[in-house]
Amino acid sequence: MRTFVNTEDYRREASRRLPRIAFDYLDPGAEDEITCRMNREQLAAIQFQPRVLRGTSLGEIDLSVETFGKASRLPLVIGPTGFAGLFWPNADLGLADCAAAAGIPFVLSTASTMSIEDVARRSNPAGSRWFQLYLLKDQAATAAMLQRAWDADYEAIVLTVDTPCAGKREASIRGGARLPLHLDARKILDFARHPLWTIQMLLNGEPHLANFPYSRKTPFIMEEHLKRGIGWDDMAWLRKNWDRPLIVKGIQCVEDALLARDMGADAIVVSNHGGRQLDGAQSPMRILAEIVRAVGSTVKVMIDSGFRRGSEAVKALAMGAHCVWLGRATLYGIAARGPAGAADVLKIFEDEMRRAMTLLGANKIKELDGSLIKGA
Ligand SMILES: Cc1cc2nc3c(=O)[nH]c(=O)nc-3n(C[C@H](O)[C@H](O)[C@H](O)COP(=O)(O)O)c2cc1C
């Protein structure tokens, strides 16, 4: 078997195993992918300034953090990704279980291919599950979905706020990636070139949006039901109707971070959606320190977009992030080798974080601060 030593190895294998239509949905960003590149470049531009002789030892680094009164073994979260069943059957369940085994939270997307209840019922009960909400045009339908997440014991709601419309992801537009998959000659050829994936899908059935009524004849078209013009009044509505932690995902400036805090958010995720929405949007790492300074300890500041290595996560933590969310990284893992691949990606991140902290001279997360990095 091939040796996978980093996330990029998993990415390459995912691109081999998946048909084009699925990889083109997973991997590319919007338009010219400028933001995708900036996400990576900004992480690379930040340099470590290690301290020595601090008694750090690889096996004894403590990576745990506490979030909403619950301990996480690692400062990571598996973030929400829709249509994950395109990459591996029951991928939502696989990712939830990987997160539980690693001792970190898992966020289920509104656009998941397993339902809120199925994931809750079938995944490891020890895991922390959060639910990512896209508001629907019909407020009663949104309220019903919120109630389902509540009844299924999801511990937090994640309101994604950076999608007033879909980003222009050109590879997906060309390839026609949507559910249900309307077969045409190009897709049939694509599937024929990827027989293992195709057999897996034939055996398990075509993935569909599992949180909504489904019928092959009248499929649920997400775009027709999402409420796009959402505003801070929607956030106020959500705050009133959800009594557990509320996380706002997709904050990109200090002003909105302060508004989210004032409207009652318990945490924010500084994110540009992994470069999949507004191409040209700055890297969250450019604004992270400023946001942390502005909101202080009143809300937890989390981050995502572009993280492919544990050492990069350590840079974000040193700049004041509470934890780092992973989008594509664990998807590459599950797309390449199923749940075992996603679990291995988390192990790789953990190992790289341990090494970075050992070499940096920090024994625990609390010892990471701005004095250990340059160029932020
Ligand atoms: C295939 C895919 C599907 C996604 N679906 C959702 C979604 O349904 N809801 C959401 O809030 N974010 C979604 N995201 C964005 C991720 O949660 C996250 O913000 C982004 O992937 C982080 O960047 P990274 O992939 O570089 O780690 C998706 C990302 C990918 C790659």
Side-chain angles (χ1 to χ4, degrees):
M1 198 181 76
R2 209 188 317 276
T3 310
F4 295 88
V5 298
N6 58 31
T7 311
E8 182 56 26
D9 288 344
Y10 277 100
R11 179 179 178 277
R12 265 195 297 272
E13 181 61 19
S15 88
R16 258 193 295 269
R17 204 190 72 86
L18 293 179
R20 263 244 80 78
I21 184 185
F23 191 73
D24 279 353
Y25 171 63
L26 195 175
D27 194 56
E31 299 181 8
D32 297 311
E33 302 190 298
I34 295 167
T35 292
C36 280
R37 283 194 295 281
M38 290 196 301
N39 285 345
R40 302 288 307 130
E41 284 162 11
Q42 186 64 25
L43 280 163
I46 294 164
Q47 299 171 30
F48 288 120
Q49 180 171 263
R51 298 295 305 271
V52 295
L53 302 178
R54 285 193 158 186
T56 48
S57 152
L58 192 59
E60 284 164 31
I61 302 295
D62 178 4
L63 290 167
S64 64
V65 288
E66 196 186 296
T67 309
F68 311 138
K70 216 168 161 176
S72 287
R73 207 176 61 80
L74 306 171
L76 299 176
V77 171
I78 296 189
T81 51
F83 298 177
L86 265 183
F87 312 131
W88 194 271
N90 298 335
D92 300 298
L93 177 61
L95 291 169
D97 280 341
C98 287
I104 64 173
F106 164 73
V107 191
L108 185 73
S109 164
T110 291
S112 58
T113 45
M114 280 184 81
S115 71
I116 295 172
E117 292 79 8
D118 259 5
V119 172
R121 197 170 41 239
R122 291 171 59 184
S123 62
N124 181 339
S128 267
R129 280 173 277 100
W130 302 347
F131 182 67
Q132 176 264 324
L133 184 70
Y134 279 135
L135 298 180
L136 305 172
K137 283 179 190 156
D138 175 358
Q139 196 177 65
T142 312
M145 189 135 74
L146 207 54
Q147 187 64 44
R148 288 169 60 191
W150 181 277
D151 292 343
D153 290 331
Y154 283 74
E155 294 166 13
I157 282 291
V158 176
L159 177 67
T160 299
V161 294
D162 56 7
T163 52
C165 70
K168 188 172 175 241
R169 297 169 210 153
E170 298 182 351
S172 279
I173 297 170
R174 275 198 200 95
R178 62 192 173 123
L179 291 179
L181 297 166
H182 294 281
L183 283 185
D184 55 24
R186 201 158 48 131
K187 283 196 196 102
I188 291 170
L189 194 64
D190 191 11
F191 295 163
R193 287 198 183 113
H194 298 87
L196 291 180
W197 179 93
T198 304
I199 289 167
Q200 227 181 14
M201 290 295 145
L202 287 173
L203 291 175
N204 288 279
E206 183 186 333
H208 64 274
L209 295 169
N211 289 321
F212 301 99
Y214 171 72
S215 121
R216 193 99 194 56
K217 273 207 189 117
T218 48
F220 184 92
I221 308 292
M222 189 101 175
E223 193 52 45
E224 291 169 9
H225 294 268
L226 290 184
K227 179 174 183 185
R228 289 299 192 180
I230 72 171
W232 289 105
D233 51 331
D234 292 292
M235 156 100 187
W237 174 87
L238 183 57
R239 183 64 290 182
K240 229 174 40 218
N241 287 279
W242 179 262
D243 210 14
R244 295 178 191 149
L246 170 58
I247 304 165
V248 180
K249 171 174 180 281
I251 295 290
Q252 302 185 56
C253 70
V254 169
E255 292 75 8
D256 284 342
L258 290 170
L259 278 168
R261 178 196 66 183
D262 296 345
M263 301 286 296
D266 298 286
I268 56 173
V269 189
V270 188
S271 167
N272 59 31
H273 216 102
R276 294 164 70 83
Q277 286 295 100
L278 176 62
D279 198 29
Q282 68 181 332
S283 154
M285 287 295 277
R286 267 186 77 117
I287 191 76
L288 174 65
E290 220 180 302
I291 288 180
V292 170
R293 267 197 305 278
V295 300
S297 53
T298 49
V299 292
K300 294 206 182 305
V301 180
M302 308 175 174
I303 189 166
D304 76 12
S305 299
F307 290 85
R308 302 290 180 266
R309 285 201 182 270
S311 52
E312 294 167 351
V314 170
K315 291 178 181 179
L317 298 168
M319 285 170 63
H322 175 73
C323 61
V324 172
W325 292 29
L326 305 180
R328 293 181 186 81
T330 32
L331 285 183
Y332 294 144
I334 206 157
R337 285 178 54 209
D344 196 36
V345 166
L346 291 178
K347 279 206 193 88
I348 289 171
F349 262 82
E350 176 175 355
D351 174 65
E352 289 172 350
M353 276 191 287
R354 281 187 192 289
R355 281 175 204 278
M357 288 187 49
T358 307
L359 295 167
L360 201 50
N363 288 288
K364 42 177 152 4
I365 305 287
K366 280 213 168 77
E367 290 176 14
L368 292 171
D369 62 31
S371 71
L372 297 171
I373 49 172
K374 280 271 158 92

